[in-house]
Amino acid sequence: MISRIRGRVLSLDTDRVELETAAGLVYEVHVPLSIFRRLPAPGTDLELLTAYVVQDEKPHLYGFLEEHERTLFHRLLGVHKVGPRLALAMLSAYHAGRLARAIAEKDARALMQVSGLGKKTAERVILDLSDKVEDIAAADSRAGPGAKLAADAVAALTGLGYSFAEADAAVREASRENGAESSEEIVRAVLARRGSGR
């Protein structure tokens, strides 16, 4: 079992990274978009926590930066009709904590924003995991009241025509940069960013 890989980043693609170990072995590791955005540039040393999955008799490695991300990936794989590709898509649409919150709060609408995830599968994920991801969801709520502000801002933006995934990503970015004290301030910051073309 390969549980982690440490090496030099050789190349990056939107869903995979090549890592060369000190022994000269090169591993191709699939990563969700939420992880890819946080990876360092080629030539940099990196350690990834990995999940080793054999599908259609072919082995694949999936990489994560934090333990709770890998844990959620494994739990998703335990749901009927959720394979590695769909689990990766879910973790690409939402960072692990946000995804766990959507599952714990039984928010099928949020899950259905994931490409390839229909209503029945979303309901199955909620049925199987809503009481099994509370640890990950709780860890994501470390911002306290900020989580409620963000949720309200996401709801406002979806009312303005944003997809749920777009709104969630934009709110997280605006919240990090501006430290807004109300959901209205967050929404204004998001709209200002879009207006400026950022």
Side-chain angles (χ1 to χ4, degrees), residues 14 19 27-29 35 40 43-44 46 48 52 59 72 77 81-83 110 127 129 142 151 177 183 194 197-198:
T14 51
L19 283 181
Y27 290 91
E28 180 183 72
V29 186
I35 304 295
T44 307
L46 172 67
L48 288 176
Y52 180 83
L72 183 55
L77 292 184
K81 291 191 176 180
V82 175
L127 181 64
L129 296 182
R142 57 189 174 275
E177 292 186 358
S183 58
R194 170 166 281 194
R198 292 177 61 189

Side-chain angles (χ1 to χ4, degrees), residues 77-193:
L77 292 184
V79 178
H80 182 58
K81 291 191 176 180
V82 175
R85 185 173 298 179
L86 184 54
L88 211 65
M90 294 172 75
L91 283 163
S92 290
Y94 302 111
H95 66 89
R98 178 64 187 92
L99 178 59
R101 286 207 321 274
I103 296 169
E105 294 167 3
K106 302 181 180 180
D107 190 348
R109 179 170 171 266
L111 298 184
M112 288 166 60
Q113 298 297 321
V114 177
S115 177
L117 183 60
K119 182 179 180 181
K120 287 186 178 179
T121 305
E123 291 172 346
R124 169 56 64 181
V125 169
I126 289 170
L127 181 64
D128 288 0
L129 296 182
S130 61
D131 60 346
K132 298 176 183 174
V133 296
E134 293 172 346
D135 53 337
I136 299 172
D140 189 62
S141 299
R142 57 189 174 275
K148 177 68 167 64
L149 294 181
D152 290 345
V154 168
L157 288 169
T158 56
L160 293 173
Y162 281 68
S163 74
F164 194 98
E166 288 173 335
D168 189 69
V171 165
R172 281 189 284 115
E173 190 166 354
S175 298
R176 280 197 304 268
E177 292 186 358
N178 297 287
E181 296 183 2
S182 70
S183 58
E184 291 80 6
E185 287 181 34
I186 297 174
V187 171
R188 282 197 295 270
V190 170
L191 295 177
R193 288 174 61 84

